[in-house]
């Protein structure tokens, strides 16, 4: 990857490829084209992941996915087919009125995103 101002470039030992961290926005770009948003980095932090494992990266890349937090989501209740037939098909699901948006933590300085072994750190 060519060096550009405002970017930190490091080789990730865990991912076995070059990565680029944008110092202002917090986005991480990998040589294979996989991108990590600041929100995804925060989700990994919440899950207690301190260094990005290759397994997580591979799944994200293969499925072109987004890392989300599902720990607080409740699964839909099991409903029998007869109960489903009784329910109207145009039901509208409403959000609770008191839901507040999550306060985002500031991104740490660029030097803190990699450890001394070149592993991408999720702080």
């Amino acid at each position: 990857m060519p060096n550009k101002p405002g970017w930190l470039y490091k080789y990730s030992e865990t991912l076995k490829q070059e990565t680029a961290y944008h110092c202002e926005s917090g986005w991480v770009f990998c040589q294979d084209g996989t991108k990590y948003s600041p929100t995804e980095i925060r989700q990994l932090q919440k899950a207690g992941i301190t260094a990005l494992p290759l397994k997580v990266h591979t799944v994200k890349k293969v499925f072109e996915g987004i890392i989300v937090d599902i720990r607080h989501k409740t699964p839909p209740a099991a409903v029998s087919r007869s109960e489903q037939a009784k329910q109207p098909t145009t039901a509208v699901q409403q959000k609770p009125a008191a839901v507040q948006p999550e306060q985002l933590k500031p991104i740490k300085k660029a030097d803190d995103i990699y450890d001394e072994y070149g592993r991408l750190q999720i702080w």
Side-chain angles (χ1 to χ4, degrees), residues 19-39:
T19 61
Y21 171 75
H22 189 255
C23 300
E24 289 184 28
S25 69
W27 278 82
V28 175
F29 292 81
C30 299
Q31 192 172 14
D32 65 4
T34 307
K35 300 179 262 188
Y36 293 89
S37 71
T39 305

Side-chain angles (χ1 to χ4, degrees), residues 4 14 24-25 29 42 44 50 52 66 81 92 95:
K4 296 179 184 176
T14 56
E24 289 184 28
S25 69
F29 292 81
R42 287 185 195 95
L44 292 167
T50 57
L52 187 62
I66 298 171
R81 288 185 185 218
V92 177
K95 294 181 179 179

